[in-house]
Amino acid sequence: MVDFEAGDKHIAVFPGCKPDVPVIYLNTFSGEGQAIWKAAQILGCPPLTLVSISNLDWNHDMTPWNSPPAFKNGEPCTGGADDYLRILTEEIVPAVEKEILAAPRWRGIAGYSLAGLFALYSMYQTDMFSRVGSMSGSLWFPGMKEYIAAHKPKRRPDCLYLSLGNRESKTRNPILKTVQQNTEEMAAFYKADGIETVFQLNEGNHFDHAAERTAKGICWLLNR
């Protein structure tokens, strides 16, 4: 593993067995890269380089526009995704690929929760990533479903992976309870457009087995 800083973000690179394997950029809440890397190895994932990015301002960096708190005593979302995406594409990606000394076979982007929302949003802002994984993505986020229906990706993705826990929508919260319906509708939208897309339900709530769910999505992207 190689660690370095880019701006105020912490980058952990888990290199593949050779330099020209795919690279997946994974935005994480608190540096879960090591756990996800181990889970991916247990699942027998094909070779990859995993780049885990942490020290994110979660409700700012991962959200595309401002939104009030989704639940009582929560923090508002302050819509800094475009600014963070510039850091990712202009600073972090070049620094990583200088470190691994080769262009990857392909680049993917993935994330869990709000980082899953960000992964999906990113393909409408940059053509840098060809495969996208949104694991337990926060697709309840107000306006996201409508945004996707009204915009075209900068690059048509090779494939998309969407997942949720089967109890995530079992809530009285009127915003969060839309997550499964929204995710299923988005999956159907991409499938109808001819993009290879899968939606998988996992056992449990939002916080159950996050590393394993993330690794599962990454393995799916690698096996296409």
Side-chain angles (χ1 to χ4, degrees):
M1 184 180 74
V2 177
D3 287 282
F4 64 93
E5 305 292 324
D8 59 349
K9 313 305 180 190
H10 180 76
I11 319 300
V13 181
F14 302 86
C17 55
K18 52 184 180 178
D20 63 342
V21 298
V23 174
I24 291 185
Y25 290 85
L26 179 71
N27 292 294
T28 66
F29 182 71
S30 56
E32 300 88 352
Q34 183 76 54
I36 292 165
W37 175 256
K38 288 180 179 178
Q41 306 313 304
I42 291 169
L43 288 173
C45 272
L48 81 152
T49 291
L50 181 66
V51 180
S52 172
I53 305 154
S54 57
N55 199 33
L56 298 167
D57 185 347
W58 194 246
N59 283 24
H60 181 72
D61 292 341
M62 296 291 99
T63 56
W65 44 79
N66 294 348
S67 182
F71 46 89
K72 187 178 180 180
N73 300 323
E75 295 291 328
C77 297
T78 51
D82 290 341
D83 290 338
Y84 169 64
L85 189 60
R86 280 191 287 274
I87 295 171
L88 177 61
T89 58
E90 296 176 10
E91 297 182 35
I92 296 174
V93 170
V96 167
E97 293 175 14
K98 182 179 179 181
E99 185 70 38
I100 62 177
L101 303 176
R105 189 174 305 164
W106 50 262
R107 296 185 192 94
I109 186 167
Y112 196 92
S113 193
L114 281 176
L117 171 78
F118 175 83
L120 208 59
Y121 176 73
S122 71
M123 70 184 191
Y124 294 87
Q125 307 302 316
T126 178
D127 62 0
M128 186 168 280
F129 307 106
S130 61
R131 303 187 188 192
V132 178
S134 176
M135 285 69 88
S136 283
S138 300
L139 303 186
W140 51 262
F141 193 79
M144 187 61 182
K145 183 171 66 173
E146 295 76 12
Y147 179 88
I148 285 171
H151 294 80
K152 292 289 186 184
K154 294 290 186 182
R155 171 180 182 166
R156 184 179 177 83
D158 296 339
C159 55
L160 295 171
Y161 178 90
L162 307 175
S163 74
L164 280 179
N166 63 2
R167 297 207 305 270
E168 292 196 51
S169 63
K170 311 298 184 187
T171 173
R172 294 180 182 179
N173 185 300
I175 298 174
L176 300 182
K177 73 186 302 180
T178 66
V179 68
Q180 185 167 334
Q181 180 178 342
N182 285 2
T183 304
E184 290 176 343
E185 289 181 7
M186 290 181 198
F189 175 82
Y190 290 122
K191 286 180 181 179
D193 196 31
I195 297 169
E196 183 180 6
T197 305
V198 69
F199 168 62
Q200 293 185 347
L201 273 177
N202 301 293
E203 289 290 328
N205 244 317
H206 184 68
F207 298 103
D208 293 334
H209 309 294
E212 291 79 7
R213 290 183 190 176
T214 303
K216 182 180 177 182
I218 287 171
C219 288
W220 187 89
L221 294 174
L222 290 163
N223 279 307
R224 295 350 292 149

